[in-house]
Amino acid sequence: MTILNHTLGFPRIGLNRELKKAQEDYWSGNLQLEDFLSVGSRLRRENWKKQKDAGVDYIPVGDFSWYDHVLSTSMMLGNIPERHLNVDSNSGIDLDCLFRIARGFSPDISASEMTKWFNTNYHYIVPEFNKNRILKFSWKQIIEETDEALSLGYKVKPVILGPITYLWLGKIKGEYFNRLDLLKNILPIYKQVLSELSKRNIDFVQIDEPALVLDLPEKWKKAYSYAYEYLHGKTKILLTTYFDGVEHNIEYIRNLPIYGIHIDLVFGKYNLFDFNSKLPKEWILSLGVINGRNVWRADLLKWFKTISSILKFREKLLIGSSCSLLHSPIDLKEEKNLDKESKQWFSFAVQKCTELSLLTQALNKNNTNAIEKWCSPIYERTLSKRVQKVEVQKRLSKLFNASFQRSNSYDVRSQKQKNKFNLPLLPTTTIGSFPQTIEIRKLRRDYKEGLISDTNYEIGIKKHIKEVIKVQEKLDIDVLVHGEAERNDMVEYFGENLDGFVFTDNGWVQSYGSRCVKPPIIIGDISRSKSITVKWSKYAQSLTNKPVKGMLTGPVTILFWSFPREDISLENIAKQIALALQDEVLDLEKEKIEIIQIDEPALREGLPLRKSLWNEYLSWAVDAFRLTSSDVKDTTQIHTHMCYCEFNDIMDSIALLDADVITIETARSDMELLESFKTFKYPNEVGPGVYDIHSSNIPNIESINFLLSKAIDYIPVERIWVNPDCGLKTRNWNETLLALKNMVYAAKEMRDKIQKK
């Protein structure tokens, strides 16, 4: 038997974020459509070549998206919300329509909701389902790109998001119905796509069904049989699962008329021999052994032993990445400033392709010489003094139950805080960041490159802080922020100022659309050797009599938005970060910063995909957050922020965070995310986002008051704050000023209306 390999997808943004830059130029009118499309074509060709040159056998096509792959699937199916059609005389189901769905077009044509892709920091545009919408094959990108790759001589494997996972990810809009009923409407389109692909020279199609790792309702499990019986035909289907195991759904999988299955051995807890024995002998089994979600060099010797042990039990095997490599930076060779020791510990997307090739050759030749050499830095790392720190481990071992609790309950604290701050009804604030202008980015870049002195850098940052404070006072916002001009990214910034992290120059990954992040890498035990934010917050507070929030990123978010270690538990890492942040919180409090926001947008993201494991995770995640602020005074008000996640099913845990105020994203969903407040009496204060900062649309006063009225239906008005959905760093100043002016006016108008009753 000859073993072949494949990746499940490749990063689409380009080595230098060419896609991001082209998107933003196109949106601003500085790039013509033809030139924009050519950027995409060039990136696809480069991606295919990189994979082929590294030794990948089957090259994925259809993994490239102009915004995200779920939205691409909506376009393919013609599932376009009515408000995004016929916007102008030239409008149709085209690229501009795709971007309208993702970004909105005007206050009346809002963007579709956005949320996290399973338990990752990648986002997708949530499909909107309407009972009467007519669907048809409307967006032929998958066919066009398959032909494009075939014309270049590649052995290709088309990639399509599966029909049941697609329906699972969407939401009903308008008249209620069972969205699974749409299966009969979309399957003919999938069949048409497969029929078109069957005319091409391909061995099989990868259909992604990651929903199979979930605890699906019985009807959804049974739907797989109906769907794949319908799709059975000339085109062979590799059913692809990832992010966890599917053993609990094997009875619904094993009888499907498919070519084979891909399983994620990195994140799935499989008894491989038992699972293999339950599969039809004629199926091909694809083993995801190269971690697509982290940057550590793979232990190829371990995987060699695992795969070798099953060779005699399976006639057809593939090896691959655990999931798409879109969650990984592109090429480690581009990192010129990583120190030699740590650099050899890592593997980015291109290197992961090399790992697949090395492992494939070792298995086919039964020779481990090359992979032994590859693995030697992994074993050397265990001896590095940069990894283990006795003082951090000792501090962690001394924690006890009281370490995670504030001295008094919210009821006691809130009264003291009301007396101290004397804020009006419906107090206004923002989430933290203000526009990151070209001037700010240049200032940080010049400082990083040593082109300006510490003194000149500090003068420059303080100038921006002063401007932001002045703007907020003029707008009459109640609780101010310093604007975060000094921060490149909410996680990277803290990682740069904590011990135990290393950083890349070009390790970008896509978060959504044109938004890219550069996660730090956690290589060792974490501690804080100096204050991080105190200087800037203290300066901002000196400029005003209004309270200024200290702004921190929480331990769970720093953990999950970094590339974590794999040699200790996630709980251990989170609590190390929490202790470091606790030091920062107490230093802020000493400097009279007495409203402190500790953001945790990744809290739900870290949830295991199987509900049976939720309690264990939520227990330590909540403890980690509470640890950061457990020692502050009752009069110090702790805020937290969450965005773009479904949190209704973890409201108990959110309440257990015991933050005095939680601000949440609700604008895109028209306050739907507050539904849980009908039945769950959230005990503390809430700031439901009253406008969507990810859209360039300026919210009018009426729309903000409409959302505020909805919020008041769910939450006692004396516990409501007024704020945008998220930070404002991605917006320009004109948009920001107009939106905040309307927000403050709306809050005052609503305040007056309530007080006159």
Side-chain angles (χ1 to χ4, degrees):
M1 172 177 61
T2 299
I3 296 173
L4 298 177
N5 65 60
H6 65 137
T7 66
L8 271 59
F10 199 79
R12 59 183 75 116
I13 58 174
L15 197 57
N16 296 300
R17 293 178 292 161
E18 292 92 335
L19 181 60
K20 166 193 171 65
K21 294 164 187 173
Q23 284 169 322
E24 293 173 354
D25 283 346
Y26 180 66
W27 296 336
S28 66
N30 294 324
L31 189 68
Q32 295 299 309
L33 177 61
E34 183 180 351
D35 296 324
F36 182 43
L37 294 174
S38 71
V39 172
S41 178
R42 177 171 57 81
L43 288 173
R44 289 192 296 274
R45 291 172 183 234
E46 289 175 359
N47 290 347
W48 297 332
K49 186 175 188 303
K50 284 184 176 79
Q51 292 173 86
K52 180 65 177 176
D53 289 350
V56 174
D57 296 313
Y58 286 105
I59 307 299
V61 296
D63 56 332
F64 178 86
S65 296
W66 295 106
Y67 203 88
D68 76 71
H69 63 289
V70 181
L71 179 53
S72 295
T73 306
S74 292
M75 295 288 288
M76 180 184 82
L77 299 171
N79 184 28
I80 313 299
E82 293 297 324
R83 66 186 181 279
H84 293 294
L85 289 171
N86 305 316
V87 171
D88 57 54
S89 58
N90 298 319
S91 180
I93 300 180
D94 57 13
L95 199 57
D96 290 333
C97 177
L98 182 151
F99 289 138
R100 284 197 301 273
I101 298 170
R103 305 178 68 240
F105 185 70
S106 69
D108 299 322
I109 304 175
S110 60
S112 290
E113 191 177 342
M114 182 166 64
T115 195
K116 300 287 179 73
W117 171 248
F118 291 82
N119 58 350
T120 74
N121 189 32
Y122 176 75
H123 300 64
Y124 68 92
I125 299 297
V126 178
E128 296 181 19
F129 299 137
N130 184 285
K131 187 176 184 179
N132 300 314
R133 186 170 297 145
I134 297 172
L135 304 176
K136 63 179 181 179
F137 187 19
S138 303
W139 181 257
K140 301 189 178 180
Q141 184 178 346
I142 182 65
I143 305 299
E144 294 163 356
E145 291 176 9
T146 298
D147 289 342
E148 183 183 7
L150 286 171
S151 71
L152 297 171
Y154 290 110
K155 189 182 188 73
V156 305
K157 174 200 60 173
V159 178
I160 307 172
L161 179 62
I164 295 176
T165 295
Y166 175 75
L167 291 176
W168 180 261
L169 296 173
K171 284 189 174 182
I172 295 164
K173 295 290 182 179
E175 181 186 353
Y176 178 78
F177 67 103
N178 187 337
R179 65 189 187 278
L180 194 55
D181 292 344
L182 286 177
L183 190 59
K184 64 182 183 299
N185 296 351
I186 67 172
L187 284 177
I189 303 171
Y190 274 88
K191 186 88 170 179
Q192 186 179 352
V193 172
L194 292 176
S195 176
E196 285 291 322
L197 290 172
S198 71
K199 300 171 186 176
R200 275 79 178 166
N201 181 27
I202 57 173
D203 291 347
F204 61 92
V205 173
Q206 172 186 318
I207 297 189
D208 289 359
E209 289 284 8
L212 274 167
V213 307
L214 305 174
D215 295 313
L216 294 169
E218 198 71 15
K219 283 186 178 180
W220 286 79
K221 294 178 184 179
K222 290 180 178 178
Y224 276 96
S225 176
Y226 169 72
Y228 285 88
E229 288 284 353
Y230 186 97
L231 296 178
H232 182 57
K234 293 181 181 179
T235 307
K236 295 176 180 177
I237 294 172
L238 180 71
L239 190 73
T240 306
T241 67
Y242 40 81
F243 298 152
D244 209 331
V246 294
E247 284 186 303
H248 60 296
N249 284 324
I250 186 62
E251 296 306 318
Y252 297 90
I253 295 171
R254 63 190 297 178
N255 295 316
L256 298 178
I258 55 178
Y259 174 60
I261 187 170
H262 172 88
I263 59 173
D264 181 345
L265 288 184
V266 176
F267 289 95
K269 308 303 179 190
Y270 284 97
N271 180 326
L272 192 53
F273 290 98
D274 180 61
F275 184 81
N276 177 68
S277 70
K278 294 176 182 176
L279 298 178
K281 290 185 178 179
E282 67 273 15
W283 278 17
I284 193 166
L285 176 60
S286 172
L287 302 176
V289 295
I290 304 301
N291 190 345
R293 293 180 60 173
N294 212 333
V295 295
W296 297 96
R297 187 175 284 219
D299 188 341
L300 299 182
L301 279 171
K302 181 193 80 170
W303 291 120
F304 178 87
K305 292 172 185 175
T306 299
I307 297 169
S308 296
S309 67
I310 202 172
L311 285 177
K312 61 184 177 183
F313 300 104
R314 177 60 48 181
E315 293 181 5
K316 293 184 287 186
L317 272 179
L318 272 174
I319 60 171
S321 55
S322 63
C323 60
S324 172
L325 299 178
L326 74 87
H327 308 287
S328 171
I330 296 175
D331 194 350
L332 184 63
K333 289 180 181 177
E334 297 299 312
E335 298 302 326
K336 309 302 182 187
N337 294 314
L338 270 175
D339 64 276
K340 186 177 179 182
E341 181 188 31
S342 66
K343 188 173 182 178
Q344 64 181 344
W345 299 339
F346 306 136
S347 174
F348 292 0
V350 170
Q351 288 70 43
K352 291 177 188 296
C353 295
T354 299
E355 289 178 324
L356 281 172
S357 178
L358 288 171
L359 184 55
T360 303
Q361 293 174 52
L363 288 164
N364 285 328
K365 296 176 182 178
N366 195 29
N367 185 323
T368 62
N369 290 341
I371 61 175
E372 285 174 8
K373 183 178 178 182
W374 180 265
C375 290
S376 60
I378 299 173
Y379 308 131
E380 291 168 6
R381 179 178 173 270
T382 60
L383 305 175
S384 173
K385 293 179 180 179
R386 300 170 69 185
V387 177
Q388 308 288 342
K389 295 177 184 174
V390 174
E391 64 276 12
V392 174
Q393 295 167 11
K394 278 184 179 178
R395 188 178 178 192
L396 205 59
S397 70
K398 292 178 181 178
L399 295 175
F400 54 98
N401 288 342
S403 305
F404 306 101
Q405 298 174 358
R406 292 185 69 174
S407 56
N408 281 303
S409 67
Y410 165 77
D411 289 339
V412 174
R413 302 191 312 259
S414 64
Q415 194 54 54
K416 292 180 180 179
Q417 291 164 15
K418 279 182 171 60
N419 294 337
K420 181 178 183 62
F421 298 115
N422 194 30
L423 296 171
L425 191 70
L426 300 173
T428 54
T429 190
T430 64
I431 302 306
S433 60
F434 267 72
Q436 295 270 306
T437 62
I438 293 172
E439 183 185 0
I440 288 172
R441 291 196 294 269
K442 183 179 186 303
L443 178 66
R444 286 201 306 262
R445 185 172 61 250
D446 288 350
Y447 180 61
K448 188 174 183 180
E449 293 175 359
L451 300 177
I452 59 174
S453 67
D454 291 359
T455 300
N456 286 337
Y457 174 69
E458 184 170 335
I459 289 170
I461 293 295
K462 284 185 173 180
K463 170 178 169 283
H464 291 292
I465 291 173
K466 191 171 186 177
E467 289 170 354
V468 165
I469 294 295
K470 189 182 296 183
V471 163
Q472 292 172 92
E473 287 199 313
K474 187 175 181 181
L475 289 166
D476 201 21
I477 293 172
D478 299 307
V479 174
L480 314 187
V481 297
H482 78 284
E484 303 180 11
E486 79 284 4
R487 304 184 192 185
N488 45 4
D489 173 83
M490 65 183 291
V491 171
E492 186 178 18
Y493 175 73
F494 283 90
E496 286 172 344
N497 288 281
L498 293 170
D499 299 324
F501 290 79
V502 296
F503 309 90
T504 63
D505 291 327
N506 208 39
W508 296 99
V509 294
Q510 186 180 28
S511 180
Y512 62 86
S514 66
R515 169 73 168 148
C516 300
V517 294
K518 189 153 55 73
I521 305 170
I522 301 173
I523 64 164
D525 290 336
I526 296 165
S527 59
R528 189 196 75 145
S529 57
K530 62 182 186 303
S531 66
I532 304 169
T533 66
V534 175
K535 175 169 65 175
W536 309 122
S537 295
K538 182 180 177 182
Y539 174 70
Q541 187 62 79
S542 74
L543 301 172
T544 180
N545 292 322
K546 291 188 174 186
V548 176
K549 285 192 286 190
M551 302 299 304
L552 307 178
T553 303
V556 176
T557 299
I558 291 176
L559 167 63
F560 286 116
W561 290 3
S562 301
F563 291 115
R565 294 166 63 179
E566 295 178 341
D567 58 328
I568 63 173
S569 71
L570 295 176
E571 176 182 359
N572 196 320
I573 301 171
K575 288 179 178 176
Q576 287 182 12
I577 300 169
L579 285 171
L581 292 175
Q582 183 188 77
D583 296 340
E584 185 74 11
V585 167
L586 293 175
D587 280 355
L588 283 167
E589 187 182 60
K590 287 175 189 174
E591 297 296 342
K592 305 302 181 185
I593 307 300
E594 294 169 306
I595 299 181
I596 301 171
Q597 183 171 306
I598 306 167
D599 291 342
E600 282 293 21
L603 180 71
R604 195 190 189 287
E605 181 181 311
L607 273 177
L609 296 173
R610 301 288 307 281
K611 284 192 175 181
S612 59
L613 302 174
W614 280 17
N615 287 341
E616 180 185 355
Y617 160 73
L618 288 169
S619 176
W620 66 253
V622 167
D623 278 353
F625 176 86
R626 290 168 66 130
L627 184 57
T628 62
S629 58
S630 57
D631 285 348
V632 299
K633 301 171 186 174
D634 287 347
T635 50
T636 296
Q637 190 175 75
I638 299 297
H639 291 222
T640 191
H641 174 68
M642 295 180 183
C643 58
Y644 296 101
C645 69
E646 296 285 352
F647 52 76
N648 290 344
D649 47 5
I650 60 166
M651 283 302 301
D652 286 342
S653 296
I654 290 174
L656 287 172
L657 294 174
D658 199 27
D660 298 301
V661 181
I662 177 174
T663 54
I664 49 179
E665 177 277 318
T666 51
R668 274 202 180 196
S669 64
D670 287 335
M671 297 287 172
E672 281 181 16
L673 291 176
L674 293 181
E675 281 292 326
S676 61
F677 287 86
K678 281 184 177 179
T679 53
F680 184 88
K681 300 302 180 186
Y682 186 74
N684 303 5
E685 296 165 47
V686 182
V690 294
Y691 77 89
D692 175 20
I693 65 89
H694 292 92
S695 171
S696 58
N697 296 338
I698 307 301
N700 56 42
I701 293 166
E702 291 75 19
S703 68
I704 293 173
N705 270 330
F706 174 73
L707 293 177
L708 270 178
S709 297
K710 277 192 169 185
I712 291 169
D713 289 339
Y714 294 113
I715 305 162
V717 68
E718 64 273 9
R719 292 200 276 112
I720 295 178
W721 287 62
V722 182
N723 47 262
D725 264 349
C726 203
L728 300 165
K729 67 182 292 184
T730 60
R731 302 270 52 93
N732 65 45
W733 267 110
N734 184 56
E735 294 166 344
T736 297
L737 292 173
L738 289 172
L740 290 179
K741 181 180 178 182
N742 288 348
M743 184 190 82
V744 172
Y745 189 94
K748 289 181 177 181
E749 191 174 78
M750 184 65 71
R751 192 181 295 155
D752 290 343
K753 182 179 177 182
I754 292 166
Q755 289 171 340
K756 286 176 182 177
K757 283 186 178 180

